[in-house]
Amino acid sequence: MCGICGCVFFNSTVSSLELLRQLQHSMARMEYRGYDSCGAAIQCQLRNGDPGIELFKAVGSPSETFWPVVEAGVDQINPALVQPIQLGMGHTRWATHGEAGVRNCHPHVSSDKKEFVVVHNGQITNFAQIRNYLKAQRNWDFYSETDTEVIPKLALYFYEQTPNATFPDVVEQVCQVLDGAYALIFMSTLFPNEVVATKCGSPLIIGVKSDSRLQLSDCRTSFKSDNAEAEYRMDEPNHMIYKPSDTKSKPKVQYYFSSDRPALGGLTSYCLDLHDFDIAHARGNGELEISYKYPGSIADRHLKHQEFDQVSEEENIFSCKTEQEIHQQRATIESAVRGRVDFDNHAVKLGGIQAYLHEIRRTNRIYMIGMGTSTHAALATQKILTSLTNKSVSVVQATQFIDMEEPIAKTDLCIFISQSGETADTKAALDYCNQAGALTLGITNVVGSSICQNTTCGIHVNAGVEVGVASTKAYTSQYICLVLLGIAIAQDYFSMKDQIREIIDGLRELPMKAEEVLNHKQELKELVELIQERQAIVKEGMTFNTDKSNSLYILGRGYQYAVAREAALKIKEIAYMHAEGLCASELKHGPLAMVQENFPVILFALNDQFKTHAFNAMNQLVSRGCVPFLVITEGDELELENNFKNKAEVPFHFVLPKSTPCLQGILAVIPMQLLSLYLAQARGCNVDQPRNLAKSVTV
């Protein structure tokens, strides 16, 4: 969940203070991964003239609290000093072990001498055993409650055992002991001008920028052969080295380490992804060595040119990033279909799966696997995928999928949906399916993410960087990509031609209709006031609970059931209000007992096959004094008026533009996103950074 970053500058013209500013900038770009606390370490010249490593730690987000701490502590270093080699690392934290206090802030150190300094993203599951062992062996004190502090202390322990070991050797020994997921960046006063990074299960990317062309050499290990005629033979490469081709002119070489690609935007256009157990070593001569335990595809570790998505810096006309991302959905819908849909010929071509389309069509079952909002995108499209593909389509939460130990066959298609492509539970389910030999397909918003790399094929949702913790534009883009997948599978079936034509015509009009929905913000602000009024009335009538009533039901059926679930999740995430998304037919099976006079309910009664059922549910609610707020389709206003002559019974309705039924869920979720935003603002909540949550659930 945390975000880590690092900078190594050779032949630098950057001062220590500028290095700290660069680290703050990188941390701020990743603060959606965690904003409980933040910290940085730089190699610098201390005020007494000695070289050393200085730490800066703050409680709160990097964009707000880090720089005041730097300004308060900058007198401990020589801030204007420009050194030939500058290096530093930073961390933005989502607390998993220990409170969000300064003592638990990263970076963590082995001792006051800072022999080893570490930033960590992940979770060490055996940290308690390691801590007890080190206490027994060295009687060392531990100053924090985190699982990370054992790592630098373990490094010092191994260094004392093997004082001639290199920096990467020490790190390798540490990793052999650790259980769990981690991405680590190390600095050390014992190894000045060097940085070592490694990973297992958590993402870590290295960006490179150089004034000189970098040469790549792979290094092979020789060993004795059983063949007497050839005493030695060469093994596969076990490490590779990037080094400047022109060392005479002292070119500037910059290495950047990051948990996320957006943090590299504007810094470099070349990067590589570390694989699990790889060890990257930036050396004092400007070289970058990558040692790997499992060779895999060596080409995967080559530098690749990539234009990184950057956080949008549009004119600040919105109150927060979440509101901005909601309003970007016309553009992201267009982006999701651009180049993929031939509207004139009613055809779909998805480049990421085209080579595997025949194999996909031959599969027997489809599983859609994700967590949170990604699961709701799967649930929203389950019906249309079943209809188009004529296959059994199951939607399963990743954790439940693993817990059930579902038997997977090679003839199954398993679709993994994740905005970040790094969701820990979804990755674990992917590993399970890969071991079973299933055909795997990833739907993510981050090119080069772990799910992208480990699935057979995939679809990029093209939503751009999403900063708000509550996913909005990524959800609608995932929804569209799943619909396009269904069309791509079914478009050769003659019986599906009419249905596909209707959907593609609906996709052509969808961006304009999404914009139309976004223009009705004032109505949703009025709905917020009505909901709060009703909750206040319910509170006054409660004799068994003096706490403020925060409950809200959201009911839907068919395609709108997923919308109800997603709307309830958004309201819980950012407005801290208890909301339940229910299938309208569930009311009589228990939830109706919660309903009392003036209880607020949002009900979807759109113009589809379930409209009659929705009106029946509304009659049940009204007869019990409940106040339903309706979402209906354009043209159904008269029917609503005929069914309910008394306006007080249904005091509010929101009208959606007409669309084909399988796309109506996209138009229906947008007003719910806005509603959750306005509820959160009315309740004084931090919309972009809701309490206890972070964007990428990587542990």
Side-chain angles (χ1 to χ4, degrees):
M1 303 277 260
C2 305
I4 64 174
C5 60
C7 304
V8 185
F9 299 157
F10 296 100
N11 300 316
S12 166
T13 58
V14 174
S15 70
S16 297
L17 195 63
E18 290 170 328
L19 177 62
L20 282 166
R21 182 63 85 178
Q22 175 60 63
L23 289 169
Q24 186 211 14
H25 183 67
S26 295
M27 289 188 291
R29 285 189 167 188
M30 293 189 295
E31 68 181 30
Y32 52 80
R33 296 181 68 93
Y35 33 83
D36 293 333
S37 61
C38 56
I42 63 167
Q43 178 179 284
C44 58
Q45 184 185 76
L46 304 177
R47 274 298 179 190
N48 61 12
D50 295 335
I53 294 176
E54 187 66 23
L55 307 183
F56 300 87
K57 298 184 178 185
V59 175
S61 66
S63 58
E64 294 180 357
T65 64
F66 179 73
W67 202 251
V69 169
V70 171
E71 290 175 334
V74 76
D75 59 346
Q76 301 299 316
I77 65 172
N78 183 351
L81 180 66
V82 176
Q83 302 182 100
I85 301 175
Q86 291 276 33
L87 42 115
M89 58 189 184
H91 183 276
T92 181
R93 181 172 184 247
W94 184 82
T96 57
H97 296 81
E99 64 180 6
V102 172
R103 70 185 178 124
N104 292 321
C105 287
H106 296 222
H108 285 289
V109 299
S110 53
S111 75
D112 290 341
K113 295 180 181 178
K114 299 166 187 154
E115 297 94 342
F116 293 94
V117 186
V118 173
V119 290
H120 167 220
N121 169 36
Q123 192 167 351
I124 305 302
T125 55
N126 63 336
F127 82 98
Q129 295 94 314
I130 297 172
R131 177 182 289 212
N132 292 336
Y133 177 81
L134 293 175
K135 281 184 175 180
Q137 294 294 314
R138 291 289 188 270
N139 197 30
W140 283 338
D141 291 327
F142 286 78
Y143 59 84
S144 78
E145 305 168 279
T146 68
D147 57 334
T148 302
E149 191 187 351
V150 301
I151 299 173
K153 282 182 162 54
L154 195 59
L156 178 59
Y157 174 79
F158 283 126
Y159 178 78
E160 291 177 348
Q161 301 292 314
T162 54
N164 294 324
T166 65
F167 201 173
D169 289 341
V170 173
V171 172
E172 185 176 10
Q173 290 181 76
V174 170
C175 293
Q176 288 173 356
V177 177
L178 301 179
D179 289 336
Y182 54 81
L184 305 169
I185 304 175
F186 288 80
M187 291 169 54
S188 172
T189 54
L190 300 172
F191 300 96
N193 301 330
E194 298 181 42
V195 167
V196 174
T198 187
K199 64 158 289 223
C200 172
S202 295
L204 193 59
I205 304 122
I206 301 177
V208 179
K209 185 176 182 180
S210 175
D211 288 350
S212 170
R213 180 175 174 272
L214 293 181
Q215 292 179 336
L216 170 64
S217 60
D218 58 25
C219 305
R220 300 172 185 268
T221 304
S222 61
F223 63 99
K224 286 209 176 229
S225 170
D226 294 333
N227 186 345
E229 295 181 2
E231 185 178 359
Y232 289 92
R233 70 181 178 85
M234 302 305 290
D235 194 6
E236 287 297 314
N238 62 4
H239 62 288
M240 59 206 308
I241 298 174
Y242 287 96
K243 55 186 176 181
S245 58
D246 176 16
T247 56
K248 293 181 181 179
S249 61
K250 295 185 177 181
K252 295 177 185 176
V253 182
Q254 300 167 12
Y255 298 117
Y256 299 95
F257 301 84
S258 176
S259 296
D260 270 348
R261 279 172 164 73
L264 300 176
L267 300 175
T268 177
S269 297
Y270 290 89
C271 73
L272 59 88
D273 293 90
L274 286 187
H275 292 213
D276 283 353
F277 308 111
D278 285 2
I279 296 178
H281 181 202
R283 302 196 286 226
N285 59 0
E287 295 179 355
L288 176 69
E289 178 182 10
I290 300 174
S291 307
Y292 37 91
K293 188 174 181 180
Y294 302 107
S297 172
I298 295 173
D300 288 346
R301 296 180 178 87
H302 288 180
L303 283 174
K304 299 179 181 68
H305 182 271
Q306 182 178 338
E307 294 299 332
F308 302 109
D309 289 336
Q310 297 188 49
V311 177
S312 175
E313 301 293 343
E314 295 175 7
E315 185 182 354
N316 188 20
I317 60 173
F318 300 105
S319 61
C320 58
K321 284 291 181 183
T322 301
E323 183 177 13
Q324 179 182 346
E325 288 163 0
I326 292 171
H327 282 82
Q328 288 173 345
Q329 285 178 106
R330 171 171 184 159
T332 55
I333 290 169
E334 291 172 339
S335 181
V337 301
R338 186 180 298 118
R340 295 170 170 174
V341 180
D342 182 345
F343 291 108
D344 295 331
N345 296 308
H346 294 89
V348 167
K349 184 175 182 179
L350 300 171
I353 67 165
Q354 201 65 27
Y356 298 91
L357 202 49
H358 180 66
E359 194 175 346
I360 290 171
R361 287 174 178 149
R362 292 175 58 188
T363 56
N364 294 330
R365 299 180 299 180
I366 298 176
Y367 287 91
M368 293 196 284
I369 301 160
M371 293 296 292
T373 288
S374 295
T375 310
H376 295 158
L379 189 64
T381 53
Q382 181 182 20
K383 186 176 185 294
I384 189 62
L385 276 173
T386 302
S387 174
L388 288 170
T389 64
N390 198 29
K391 300 179 190 292
S392 169
V393 180
S394 301
V395 176
V396 193
Q397 280 193 336
T399 48
Q400 185 183 10
F401 182 83
I402 297 165
D403 294 346
M404 289 190 308
E405 298 181 348
E406 181 78 16
I408 296 298
K410 293 182 179 180
T411 55
D412 292 335
L413 171 63
C414 298
I415 303 171
F416 297 89
I417 311 165
S418 168
Q419 189 280 139
S420 67
E422 302 293 348
T423 308
D425 295 319
T426 308
K427 286 166 59 180
L430 171 58
D431 291 341
Y432 176 86
C433 293
N434 279 335
Q435 291 171 12
L439 181 64
T440 56
L441 187 155
I443 295 181
T444 74
N445 192 34
V446 180
V447 174
S449 61
S450 297
I451 289 177
C452 285
Q453 292 180 24
N454 294 302
T455 45
T456 311
C457 54
I459 305 170
H460 185 238
V461 303
N462 293 333
V465 177
E466 188 175 63
V467 174
V469 169
S471 182
T472 52
K473 62 179 182 176
Y475 170 81
T476 50
S477 295
Q478 289 170 344
Y479 190 131
I480 289 170
C481 288
L482 286 165
V483 172
L484 295 181
L485 173 63
I487 295 173
I489 295 171
Q491 61 189 354
D492 285 352
Y493 306 152
F494 181 79
S495 60
M496 297 295 173
K497 293 292 183 184
D498 290 343
Q499 188 176 7
I500 289 173
R501 178 180 291 270
E502 179 186 346
I503 296 170
I504 290 178
D505 286 342
L507 286 169
R508 186 199 295 266
E509 299 172 349
L510 194 61
M512 179 183 64
K513 291 183 176 179
E515 186 70 25
E516 185 180 337
V517 173
L518 288 165
N519 289 333
H520 289 271
K521 295 180 287 186
Q522 189 55 42
E523 294 175 41
L524 294 165
K525 290 178 180 178
E526 292 170 6
L527 177 57
V528 168
E529 294 177 4
L530 289 171
I531 290 172
Q532 292 185 314
E533 283 175 11
R534 298 298 170 174
Q535 288 176 336
I537 295 171
V538 170
K539 177 194 172 185
E540 288 176 5
M542 293 173 74
T543 58
F544 57 88
N545 191 343
T546 57
D547 292 337
K548 184 177 179 180
S549 171
N550 288 330
S551 292
L552 174 68
Y553 277 173
I554 306 171
L555 307 180
R557 191 164 174 184
Y559 290 112
Q560 311 320 315
Y561 173 49
V563 177
R565 292 269 300 268
E566 175 63 10
L569 176 62
K570 288 293 157 283
I571 290 170
K572 284 182 281 194
E573 279 181 315
I574 63 176
Y576 314 153
M577 178 188 295
H578 172 245
E580 287 192 56
L582 301 170
C583 181
S585 59
E586 286 183 63
L587 272 178
K588 290 179 286 188
H589 296 274
L592 198 57
M594 287 289 294
V595 170
Q596 56 185 306
E597 193 169 349
N598 287 298
F599 189 91
V601 175
I602 296 173
L603 176 65
F604 290 94
L606 303 185
N607 191 3
D608 57 24
Q609 66 189 98
F610 301 108
K611 183 171 69 171
T612 301
H613 300 282
F615 277 115
N616 288 339
M618 185 167 60
N619 280 311
Q620 295 172 30
L621 294 167
V622 171
S623 66
R624 286 160 175 80
C626 177
V627 180
F629 306 118
L630 258 63
V631 181
I632 63 174
T633 311
E634 184 181 27
D636 288 345
E637 296 92 333
L638 183 61
E639 184 175 356
L640 176 64
E641 188 177 328
N642 291 336
N643 274 277
F644 296 91
K645 302 292 185 182
N646 185 356
K647 273 198 169 184
E649 293 178 336
V650 185
F652 177 91
H653 66 270
F654 187 90
V655 181
L656 291 176
K658 282 185 180 179
S659 184
T660 187
C662 73
L663 300 178
Q664 197 74 56
I666 294 174
L667 298 177
V669 81
I670 293 173
M672 295 298 101
Q673 294 170 349
L674 287 170
L675 176 67
S676 63
L677 168 71
Y678 299 143
L679 277 168
Q681 291 175 336
R683 294 165 61 83
C685 304
N686 186 331
V687 176
D688 287 341
Q689 298 178 347
R691 66 188 180 201
N692 305 329
L693 300 178
K695 184 67 178 173
S696 300
V697 185
T698 58
V699 295

